[in-house]
């Protein structure tokens, strides 16, 4: 598959490496130009390109949330059969507040509206350190499962297949309007659940508590880790589980 990844940061880098290693033709772009993409991003294959060259059969957006509307000129006019998969999370403390989301619109529904395209949403519920360290072959007992939301069957199928290839079980989490079940603050958020545990966690999500829990999580993570968890996956997941499960 030809895959373009917009964003070469924590999540984008691992996606380039995993999906290249899985045999896909991967291009990656950031906002500053291909020459600024670190060679280790391309250690397993893939090519650094300009953003307009990265919009191919499947496009993965893995940028800060508020960068996504800026990509509309690139994404809105893509052919109908291009699947766009978004990894982003809305953290209002990092930048602009979005009233529609604060008032209950699912983040991914807002993204789809603002880029003028349907999307799938996944890879947003795993901390980068766990994403880097905890991929496993399909069939491994206890393999971490990730929720995938999408409105179109084709987008869901493509995103679920790529999640599996990236080293995780993929679970159908339903339509975008229900994707608040995978928001920061939800029981499935960064708690590294497996396929037996994830469906019940999605079903148990209480939408009215998400924003408050997200703020508590930010405070708890800041107090424990400061700017970076530096690979301390287990303590980070323990904190998330204590807060959300
Ligand atoms: N970190 C995590 O643990 C984690 C886990 C799950 C999901 N997420 C979510 O996934 C998204 C990416 O997270 P991250 O931690 O990987 O972010 P990051 O390390 O800050 O990287 C962001 C990347 O996006 C690029 N970018 C920004 N604007 C762009 C544009 N208009 N076009 C193309 N590329 C652009 C940046 O390139 P420049 O540097 O050139 O601007 C950078 O390469 C975020 O929304 C985050 O909430 C993060």
């Amino acid at each position: 598959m030809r895959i373009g990844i917009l964003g070469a940061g924590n999540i984008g880098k691992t996606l380039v490496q995993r999906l290249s290693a899985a045999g896909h033709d991967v291009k990656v772009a950031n906002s500053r130009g291909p020459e600024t993409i670190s060679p280790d991003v391309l250690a397993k294959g893939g090519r650094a390109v300009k953003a307009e060259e990265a919009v191919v059969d499947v496009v993965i957006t893995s940028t800060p949330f508020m960068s996504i509307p800026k990509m509309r000129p690139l994404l809105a006019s893509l052919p109908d059969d291009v699947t766009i998969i978004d990894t982003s999370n809305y953290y209002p403390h990092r930048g602009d507040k979005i009233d529609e989301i604060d008032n209950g619109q699912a983040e991914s529904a807002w993204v789809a509206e603002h880029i003028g395209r349907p999307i799938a949403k996944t890879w947003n519920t795993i901390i980068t350190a766990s994403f880097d360290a905890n991929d496993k072959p399909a069939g491994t007992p206890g393999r971490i499962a990730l929720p995938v939301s999408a409105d179109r069957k084709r987008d869901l199928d493509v995103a679920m297949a790529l999640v599996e290839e990236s080293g995780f079980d993929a679970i159908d989490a339903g339509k975008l309007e229900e994707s608040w079940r995978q928001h920061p603050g939800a029981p499935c958020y960064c708690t590294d659940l497996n396929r037996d545990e994830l469906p019940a966690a999605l079903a148990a999500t209480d939408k009215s508590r998400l924003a408050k829990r997200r703020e508590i999580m930010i405070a708890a993570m800041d107090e424990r880790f400061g700017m970076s968890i530096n690979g301390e996956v287990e303590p980070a997941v323990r904190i998330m589980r204590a807060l959300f499960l």
Side-chain angles (χ1 to χ4, degrees):
M1 214 177 267
R2 293 188 312 158
I3 299 173
I5 300 178
L6 296 170
N10 298 304
I11 298 293
K13 170 184 164 181
T14 302
L15 285 171
V16 173
Q17 295 180 346
R18 295 266 162 80
L19 299 178
S20 297
H24 295 288
D25 175 8
V26 180
K27 295 178 178 174
V28 58
N30 62 9
S31 73
R32 290 166 294 145
E35 67 287 353
T36 66
I37 291 180
S38 159
D40 63 323
V41 172
L42 309 173
K44 304 264 170 65
R47 268 175 297 155
V49 298
K50 294 179 182 163
E52 55 272 27
E53 297 171 82
V55 288
V56 285
D57 304 337
V58 176
V59 179
I60 301 171
T61 51
S62 194
T63 71
F65 197 81
M66 292 311 292
S67 296
I68 296 175
K70 296 178 198 153
M71 294 189 263
R72 184 182 176 109
L74 211 54
L75 302 176
S77 60
L78 289 177
D80 195 50
D81 59 354
V82 171
T83 290
I84 298 174
I85 309 172
D86 183 41
T87 77
S88 71
N89 290 306
Y90 168 60
Y91 277 108
H93 75 294
R94 287 185 185 156
D96 306 58
K97 278 174 58 62
I98 300 171
D99 289 342
E100 295 97 315
I101 296 177
D102 291 342
N103 292 331
Q105 184 177 23
E107 296 168 12
S108 52
W110 186 91
V111 167
E113 203 173 290
H114 283 76
I115 63 170
R117 287 285 310 221
I119 63 164
K121 168 126 168 176
T122 192
W123 288 303
N124 72 301
T125 59
I126 184 159
I127 295 173
T128 187
S130 185
F131 190 46
D132 288 349
N134 290 329
D135 59 308
K136 297 278 185 309
T140 305
R143 192 188 198 209
I144 295 170
L146 303 181
V148 183
S149 298
D151 289 345
R152 303 193 307 183
K153 173 84 168 61
R154 179 192 149 74
D155 296 338
L156 181 73
D157 290 346
V158 169
M160 288 186 70
L162 293 177
V163 166
E164 292 279 347
E165 291 187 65
S166 72
F168 300 88
D169 283 343
I171 299 292
D172 178 356
K175 305 284 189 200
L176 293 187
E177 67 178 17
E178 287 282 310
S179 62
W180 46 265
R181 296 180 189 278
Q182 64 189 83
H183 279 187
C188 75
Y189 190 74
C190 299
T191 46
D192 283 2
L193 303 179
N194 64 36
R195 66 177 310 112
D196 296 329
E197 299 163 329
L198 183 55
L202 290 167
T205 308
D206 179 347
K207 191 177 184 183
S208 67
R209 299 171 78 177
L210 292 174
K212 176 83 183 230
R213 286 180 168 203
R214 178 188 64 210
E215 302 316 312
I216 293 170
M217 174 194 78
I218 291 166
M221 296 297 277
D222 278 354
E223 195 286 326
R224 174 65 176 76
F225 301 109
M227 289 300 285
S228 166
I229 71 166
N230 283 326
E232 290 189 84
V233 181
E234 281 177 30
V237 171
R238 273 205 306 276
I239 290 173
M240 299 294 198
R241 289 183 171 200
L243 292 175
F244 300 153
L245 294 180

